[in-house]
Amino acid sequence: MIGFDYARAQSVTDAVQQMTASNGAKFIAGGTNLVDLMKVYVEKPAKLIDVTHLPLDKVEETADGGLRIGALVRNSDLSYHPLVERRYPMLSSAIQAGASQQLRNMASTGGNLLQRTRCAYFYDIATPCNKRAPGSGCSARDGLNRMNAILGTSDACIAVHPSDMCVALAVLEAKVHATGPRGDREIALRDFHRLPGDTPQHETNLASDELIVAVELPSRGFASNYTYLKIRDRLSYAFALVSVAAGLEMDGDTVREARFALGGVAHKPWRNAEAEAVLRGKPANEASFAQAADIVLREAKGFGGNSFKIDLARRTIVRALSQAARGTPQSQSNKKIA
Ligand SMILES: Cc1cc2nc3c(=O)[nH]c(=O)nc-3n(C[C@H](O)[C@H](O)[C@H](O)COP(=O)(O)OP(=O)(O)OC[C@H]3O[C@@H](n4cnc5c(N)ncnc54)[C@H](O)[C@@H]3O)c2cc1C
Ligand code: SF4
């Protein structure tokens, strides 16, 4: 075991000051990802700054009709919050599709955003991995890559971001509020996670000394026509092979506004503005949704073990958008749409 210091932050200011004063410290919230990574020597923090007692555990309405979610709101509490269930049911569904009830009881909103990839080689310190050891190579490209990315990959890394929650947050166009030694700032969710490029070790645009304090949702929740569809190897307790969060605004059988994001396929939740725009004013049918899927997957590239994901993603997009259009967010209905 590698030794480390531990301290409980007494306030947000204290958390930031402790982080600034220590070299190699990390914040710890639920610990469901960080502790696992410490056990296999992937994360080796010199100090853990426990933020779980900070007053960041509230869900509050904002003046413009949105919600502000404290960084320490547990995934379970968020997914079953009455305002979230009523106004952002896509977010409830996405969170409940992740992990297990016990994990969701521990996992925090901030920690979920910052959870690290599940690429098997990232966890195995005996193998090369550019994300864990920059410059060492990528074992997944020619190795076991069934769970890896098909969009936005680089020569250096083909890992995916594993979160379900973040896929819904991408569609809802959430904002992340952070604070640090240089003050407070707001990061749009679309700019929060990065593509791997040449620096896969940098997964987000949050600096290592910044603390997430909240996530803000704008008022638009797509509560009538939404879905979160997660395709995985087991029906529960498995990461996504492909997932799609979709939100539509409809005029009868015509799409007025469409947003959708994919999980399990890239280093960040994947949206495509052109694919969403092409649906505007189109009939809500399979042909329209297939056209949008083709645009998203134009640039997709498989690496052997994960090549099946390209067709799987196409079918998942069509099915998710069809469910959202029908107003049947769960997968129970096979009824053909108009
Ligand atoms: C077996 C298993 C199955 C899982 N399945 C799924 C799944 O299907 N879908 C899914 O989405 N997730 C899944 N997860 C992941 C789970 O959702 C994450 O582990 C969890 O959300 C992380 O939250 P946490 O509070 O425990 O984070 P921690 O482990 O405490 O921290 C994670 C990271 O975030 C940093 N951090 C935490 N809070 C803050 C903050 N406020 N500001 C700055 N940095 C912070 C920490 O320093 C650390 O780097 C699974 C996890 C396990 C163990
Ligand atoms: S895909 Fe990324 S995380 Fe996986 S082995 Fe390659 S560099 Fe490491």
Side-chain angles (χ1 to χ4, degrees), residues 67 100 160 188 220:
L67 282 191
S100 64
V160 303
R220 211 172 189 186

Side-chain angles (χ1 to χ4, degrees), residues 27 29-34 99 108 111-112 114-115 163-164 212 230 239:
F27 295 122
T32 60
N33 191 217
L34 182 53
S108 66
N112 193 309
L114 291 170
Q115 64 174 291
S163 168
D164 291 293
I212 298 174
K230 179 176 179 180
F239 288 94

Side-chain angles (χ1 to χ4, degrees), residues 117-123 127-133 136-142 144-145 148-149 153-160 196 200-201 203 267:
T117 188
R118 312 303 289 203
C119 176
Y121 301 103
F122 177 68
Y123 276 74
T127 58
C129 168
N130 285 323
K131 186 183 280 299
R132 175 171 34 74
S136 62
C138 172
S139 301
R141 284 184 74 89
D142 298 316
L144 296 171
N145 52 40
N148 289 64
T153 56
S154 70
D155 288 345
C157 180
I158 60 169
V160 303
Q201 68 274 25
E203 287 159 355
H267 210 248

Side-chain angles (χ1 to χ4, degrees), residues 19 26-37 43 48 51 56 71-72 74-75 94-95 97-100 103-104 106-116 118 162-166 206-207 210-213 230 232 237-240:
M19 180 58 84
K26 295 220 71 148
F27 295 122
I28 184 162
T32 60
N33 191 217
L34 182 53
V35 174
D36 280 358
L37 289 166
E43 295 274 16
L48 289 181
V51 295
L56 302 173
L72 289 166
R74 304 288 179 181
N75 286 182
I95 295 172
S100 64
L103 283 159
R104 295 192 298 268
M106 287 301 291
S108 66
T109 303
N112 193 309
L113 284 160
L114 291 170
Q115 64 174 291
R116 306 203 67 189
R118 312 303 289 203
S163 168
D164 291 293
M165 183 187 88
C166 293
L206 189 80
E210 285 182 306
L211 177 76
I212 298 174
V213 290
K230 179 176 179 180
R232 46 190 155 170
Y237 203 32
F239 288 94

Side-chain angles (χ1 to χ4, degrees), residues 222-295:
F222 299 96
S224 301
N225 292 93
Y226 74 92
T227 201
Y228 185 72
L229 179 59
K230 179 176 179 180
I231 307 296
R232 46 190 155 170
D233 283 328
R234 293 186 301 271
L235 197 56
S236 75
Y237 203 32
F239 288 94
L241 289 165
V242 173
S243 69
V244 175
L248 299 176
E249 285 178 0
M250 304 289 294
D251 278 329
D253 290 334
T254 302
V255 177
R256 186 169 64 237
E257 185 70 32
R259 286 195 206 157
F260 65 100
L262 276 71
V265 298
H267 210 248
K268 61 188 288 183
W270 194 265
R271 279 183 69 187
N272 182 307
E274 185 189 344
E276 293 177 4
V278 88
L279 287 173
R280 247 175 252 140
K282 287 273 171 57
N285 60 26
E286 199 167 319
S288 307
F289 299 148
Q291 187 188 359
D294 285 340
I295 293 170

Side-chain angles (χ1 to χ4, degrees), residues 231 241-242 307-317:
I231 307 296
L241 289 165
V242 173
S307 300
F308 74 97
K309 278 192 179 185
I310 300 174
D311 190 45
L312 182 64
R314 181 175 286 109
R315 286 184 279 119
T316 310
I317 293 169

